[in-house]
Amino acid sequence: AQSVTQPDIHITVSEGASLELRCNYSYGATPYLFWYVQSPGQGLQLLLKYFSGDTLVQGIKGFEAEFKRSQSSFNLRKPSVHWSDAAEYFCAVRGTGFQKLVFGTGTRLLVSP
Amino acid sequence: DTGVSQDPRHKITKRGQNVTFRCDPISEHNRLYWYRQTLGQGPEFLTYFQNEAQLEKSRLLSDRFSAERPKGSFSTLEIQRTEQGDSAMYLCASSLDGRATDTQYFGPGTRLTVL
């Protein structure tokens, strides 16, 4: 079975500072990995995805993520955070041959002025 | 491409009542998914359809829950005899064809409050 751990429940970052959100997954083979963002009261918007190939993937809104097989991680990064990035971020995994996404519990990002 | 839409956006009901939610997927997407998200948690998979066929159901989907996609387009999720524990955000997603590199796109969700 697949599982995802997001160890940070809340993170506060100053506007303009860099950001890294952690995600660790558990799956026996190479997984498909996703990061979604959810603004208050809203659905989920896809930021980026990894299926294969280059382990550094670029997404929307200036986000990127790096797949590290040896660490079973898929951390999300952004070099300079904007106040509008304040939201909840979810990492998700989908196993090969499976359809359902398995989500982590999310990390709430707060951006301070 | 108008995105995934869900109706209603909010529903307040009393315990024991039945409720029904609707999801309209992105046109030409033949996969449709339902997830449930409770406060402070990530979404949890409930069920999915390929066209009109319901192919997988989670153990979370008790016998009070039923989902349909009668013509392979929109889907409905009905909860009978609602309980306070059913209070959650119900999210719908769709994807094109279920291939390995398929991506699920989510709607805005229906927030259910059971009093």
Side-chain angles (χ1 to χ4, degrees):
Chain A
Q2 309 113 70
S3 68
V4 174
T5 301
Q6 293 182 249
D8 303 306
I9 298 174
H10 297 100
I11 283 187
T12 300
V13 175
S14 298
E15 191 168 16
S18 63
L19 169 71
E20 182 168 26
L21 303 182
R22 295 184 289 165
C23 171
N24 292 94
Y25 68 90
S26 174
Y27 183 60
T30 300
Y32 303 130
L33 295 160
F34 307 82
W35 275 98
Y36 286 86
V37 61
Q38 186 176 41
S39 297
Q42 300 300 309
L44 298 164
Q45 180 182 21
L46 180 69
L47 285 175
L48 47 78
K49 57 192 177 186
Y50 172 79
F51 292 129
S52 64
D54 193 346
T55 57
L56 184 64
V57 294
Q58 302 297 320
I60 63 171
K61 303 185 179 185
F63 285 93
E64 67 177 27
E66 186 171 12
F67 170 59
K68 293 186 177 180
R69 184 191 306 274
S70 61
Q71 298 177 19
S72 298
S73 69
F74 189 56
N75 294 349
L76 182 72
R77 301 193 294 248
K78 186 170 185 178
S80 177
V81 168
H82 187 262
W83 64 266
S84 60
D85 293 324
E88 188 140 26
Y89 291 79
F90 291 95
C91 181
V93 63
R94 179 162 62 85
T96 308
F98 293 89
Q99 291 298 317
K100 68 179 183 183
L101 291 170
V102 176
F103 286 86
T105 51
T107 297
R108 180 165 298 279
L109 173 66
L110 304 173
V111 180
S112 61
Chain B
D1 181 354
T2 58
V4 178
S5 62
Q6 293 187 245
D7 185 69
R9 295 290 306 276
H10 303 273
K11 178 72 176 178
I12 299 174
T13 191
K14 293 182 179 179
R15 187 163 47 107
Q17 298 295 303
N18 299 343
V19 295
T20 300
F21 310 139
R22 176 178 170 128
C23 171
D24 287 89
I26 295 171
S27 59
E28 301 179 355
H29 280 193
N30 69 30
R31 300 275 173 134
L32 187 147
Y33 310 79
W34 286 99
Y35 291 80
R36 182 173 70 183
Q37 185 180 18
T38 54
L39 202 61
Q41 300 297 316
E44 295 175 289
F45 171 80
L46 292 178
T47 187
Y48 89 92
F49 293 83
Q50 177 178 307
N51 298 313
E52 64 275 10
Q54 188 173 18
L55 296 186
E56 186 177 349
K57 291 194 292 187
S58 162
R59 287 173 292 177
L60 292 175
L61 214 64
S62 76
D63 56 7
R64 296 185 297 105
F65 288 70
S66 62
E68 294 183 341
R69 195 182 182 197
K71 299 183 179 178
S73 57
F74 73 91
S75 175
T76 58
L77 177 68
E78 181 183 16
I79 308 174
Q80 296 181 326
R81 304 181 303 280
T82 53
E83 301 172 356
Q84 288 184 327
D86 297 331
S87 294
M89 174 82 91
Y90 290 84
L91 294 164
C92 176
S94 71
S95 69
L96 185 58
D97 55 15
R99 295 184 190 183
T101 56
D102 211 15
T103 299
Q104 295 178 27
Y105 296 91
F106 284 79
T110 294
R111 181 167 296 284
L112 173 66
T113 302
V114 181
L115 301 177

